[in-house]
Amino acid sequence: MKPLEAVLTEIEEQEQEVVYQPFRVTDLETAAEASRRIAYFDEKQKEIDSIIETQIAPFLAKIEKIKDWGVEAKKEFVEKQQFYSDQLEFYLREEVAKQVEAGKKPKKTISLPHGKISLKKQQPEFVKNEEELFSYAKSTGFIKVKESTDWAELKKKCSVYDGKLIDENGEVVPGVTVVERNEKFEIKLD
């Protein structure tokens, strides 16, 4: 295989020959010649692509190796960061529990020198049986044109009670189980 510089020099010379030699397709023979030249240039492009792939391959392998090293090198710090995050979450939850026990309104955000820790209320997770829910939604008018449950509207008109979704008539909405979730712990760094 020729070195990259030699190949590029050869291509430049051939390209200059084509540029400075006027060429016109005027008959079947010149058409065949133009076709041959196109095939030749196509082959040269493929050779260059092959060289590019060959030259890039070791770098790609090195890049992957460096990325793998980075993941492995950070693992220790990720684990330590998670440990301290867990400790902060535990501390904040204990403080909130103490405030609740004392009959105070709990303060769920604490400012620290390097950021804030807080507990944020999350929406409950709704586990839905689509078939039952759709049947209910269809009978009560909570469907969209494509005939799927208009979940946003249905949810607005309902309330959560004892793990169940209750509609405005006091009926349990079939096909929905309400799973209450703990408050979400959050860290914001400055």
Side-chain angles (χ1 to χ4, degrees), residues 96-137:
V96 167
K98 287 177 189 175
Q99 293 169 19
V100 169
E101 285 177 19
K104 298 179 183 176
K105 182 179 179 197
K107 183 179 174 191
K108 296 183 178 182
T109 299
I110 298 177
S111 291
L112 300 170
H114 296 284
K116 294 180 181 182
I117 59 174
S118 61
L119 292 173
K120 299 284 183 188
K121 181 106 174 121
Q122 293 190 87
Q123 290 293 322
E125 179 181 351
F126 295 92
V127 179
K128 301 179 275 186
N129 176 321
E130 285 296 331
E131 289 179 21
E132 284 184 48
L133 179 59
F134 179 71
S135 176
Y136 168 81

Side-chain angles (χ1 to χ4, degrees), residues 2 43 91 93 106 121 138 151:
K2 296 180 187 177
E43 186 61 36
Y91 169 74
R93 288 189 186 278
K121 181 106 174 121
K138 191 171 183 179
W151 178 244

Side-chain angles (χ1 to χ4, degrees), residues 43 74 81 86 105 129 134 140-141 154 165-166:
E43 186 61 36
K74 289 193 300 187
Q81 183 181 25
D86 291 344
K105 182 179 179 197
N129 176 321
F134 179 71
T140 56
L154 174 61
L165 190 63
I166 310 296

Side-chain angles (χ1 to χ4, degrees), residues 83-104:
F83 169 79
Y84 287 106
S85 177
D86 291 344
Q87 292 297 310
L88 285 171
E89 181 178 358
F90 181 75
Y91 169 74
L92 183 56
R93 288 189 186 278
E94 275 189 336
E95 288 299 308
V96 167
K98 287 177 189 175
Q99 293 169 19
V100 169
E101 285 177 19
K104 298 179 183 176

Side-chain angles (χ1 to χ4, degrees), residues 11-36:
I11 291 170
E12 284 180 24
E13 289 171 1
Q14 291 169 351
E15 186 178 67
Q16 287 175 353
E17 288 175 18
V18 173
V19 172
Y20 295 116
Q21 294 177 1
F23 183 86
R24 293 208 171 148
V25 176
T26 55
D27 56 16
L28 194 55
E29 187 176 335
T30 54
E33 177 61 21
S35 176
R36 184 192 68 76

Side-chain angles (χ1 to χ4, degrees), residues 69-86:
W69 171 84
V71 167
E72 194 60 36
K74 289 193 300 187
K75 188 183 279 186
E76 166 190 0
F77 301 111
V78 168
E79 290 170 357
K80 287 179 180 179
Q81 183 181 25
Q82 186 60 52
F83 169 79
Y84 287 106
S85 177
D86 291 344

